[in-house]
Amino acid sequence: MSTFVVWMTELLKWLYNLTDLVGFASYGLAIILLTIIIKTLIYPLTWKQMKSMRKTMEIQPKLQEIQKKYKNNPEKLNQETMELYKKHNLNPAGGCLPLLVQLPIFWALYNTLFHFDNYIADPSQAMFLWFSITENGNLVLAILAGATTFLQTKLTTVSNPAMKAQNNTGKPDPAQSTQKMMLYFMPLFMAYITWTVPSGLGLYFFTMNIVSVFQQLYINRKLNKEQVEVA
């Protein structure tokens, strides 16, 4: 196993021992604690991501004007687009940072669960609630992961004043169409992924979504307050 997978394995063991100290020894609880720790550590990135998404929606009308004006001049279109992003201090790739950080964690946790039987003394330790965290095909977790992904994606659009303003213009908007597509595609995709991976990862996805929803509600309220103060 790679060094990163070894670190993940040791961290999961340590969290398991922590749950054992409080009388609820469980690798399932260890995964939940791991997820909360990860989401807490990457909160600054999540804040920047959501703030960037809000600003991106706000400049959509200007971006559409540029696209219309320079539709026959790709070089000028790209130049003006980058100038617009620079003017508003936006990084087009900034929204991907939380995902990029979590991908190695996902890979390490997957490999840890794949080799789970190599470092536990009793197979019953893999049980959490009604399922084993090493088994694939957990339908309940797949549905929960899909449902919470839908809720999280829905919050992104419903709580965004810039998106609401564009909805009221009556004009077709590419960003709005993309958001609508993601609203229905992502939950199905996450449900499928959760179905195909070990249930421990499904538990990770579900917990990640729940924590993300609460963080998103908090950040949306904070961003709305900032917007009112600026206005």
Side-chain angles (χ1 to χ4, degrees):
M1 291 187 290
S2 71
T3 302
F4 196 39
V5 175
V6 172
W7 288 347
M8 177 63 69
T9 303
E10 292 302 317
L11 177 57
L12 203 57
K13 287 181 182 179
W14 183 83
L15 291 172
Y16 173 82
N17 291 332
L18 187 63
T19 64
D20 190 25
L21 285 176
V22 297
F24 297 97
S26 169
Y27 276 105
L29 289 177
I31 290 173
I32 292 174
L33 288 175
L34 172 68
T35 311
I36 293 173
I37 290 171
I38 292 170
K39 283 300 293 181
T40 302
L41 290 176
I42 67 172
Y43 172 79
L45 293 178
T46 304
W47 162 259
K48 289 182 180 180
Q49 177 196 34
M50 294 187 64
K51 192 170 184 178
S52 176
M53 287 175 61
R54 179 71 63 92
K55 284 186 177 181
T56 301
M57 294 310 306
E58 290 173 354
I59 68 170
Q60 279 301 308
K62 294 180 181 179
L63 186 59
Q64 290 178 29
E65 288 179 9
I66 292 174
Q67 291 170 343
K68 183 177 180 181
K69 185 176 181 179
Y70 300 106
K71 62 181 180 180
N72 296 321
N73 190 342
E75 185 176 346
K76 184 67 174 177
L77 172 61
N78 184 62
Q79 180 183 343
E80 291 294 323
T81 299
M82 296 310 297
E83 284 295 325
L84 181 63
Y85 281 124
K86 185 177 179 180
K87 179 181 178 181
H88 292 272
N89 195 27
L90 282 171
N91 180 0
C96 300
L97 283 176
L99 177 61
L100 291 177
V101 169
Q102 292 178 67
L103 282 176
I105 297 170
F106 165 82
W107 176 80
L109 184 56
Y110 176 84
N111 280 277
T112 296
L113 293 174
F114 185 78
H115 298 285
F116 195 77
D117 293 334
N118 295 340
Y119 63 84
I120 59 171
D122 184 356
S124 66
Q125 290 180 316
M127 296 302 297
F128 178 65
L129 298 178
W130 75 92
F131 60 88
S132 169
I133 63 174
T134 61
E135 294 179 353
N136 297 5
N138 192 313
L139 181 60
V140 174
L141 279 178
I143 293 173
L144 289 174
T148 50
T149 299
F150 177 84
L151 176 60
Q152 184 185 357
T153 310
K154 188 73 173 177
L155 281 173
T156 303
T157 56
V158 172
S159 302
N160 193 331
M163 178 67 77
K164 291 179 181 178
Q166 290 179 41
N167 289 345
N168 293 330
T169 62
K171 298 178 180 179
D173 174 49
Q176 183 180 342
S177 299
T178 301
Q179 287 281 350
K180 188 175 181 180
M181 181 186 70
M182 295 299 289
L183 177 63
Y184 297 104
F185 171 75
M186 282 305 296
L188 293 174
F189 177 73
M190 285 305 301
Y192 171 74
I193 292 296
T194 303
W195 171 263
T196 60
V197 298
S199 294
L201 272 176
L203 181 62
Y204 171 82
F205 292 149
F206 172 63
T207 308
M208 184 72 71
N209 285 344
I210 292 296
V211 178
S212 296
V213 165
F214 282 105
Q215 284 189 350
Q216 194 162 349
L217 288 171
Y218 171 75
I219 292 174
N220 280 337
R221 186 167 65 247
K222 192 173 180 180
L223 288 174
N224 290 342
K225 184 178 180 181
E226 284 186 2
Q227 193 168 19
V228 171
E229 290 175 352
V230 171

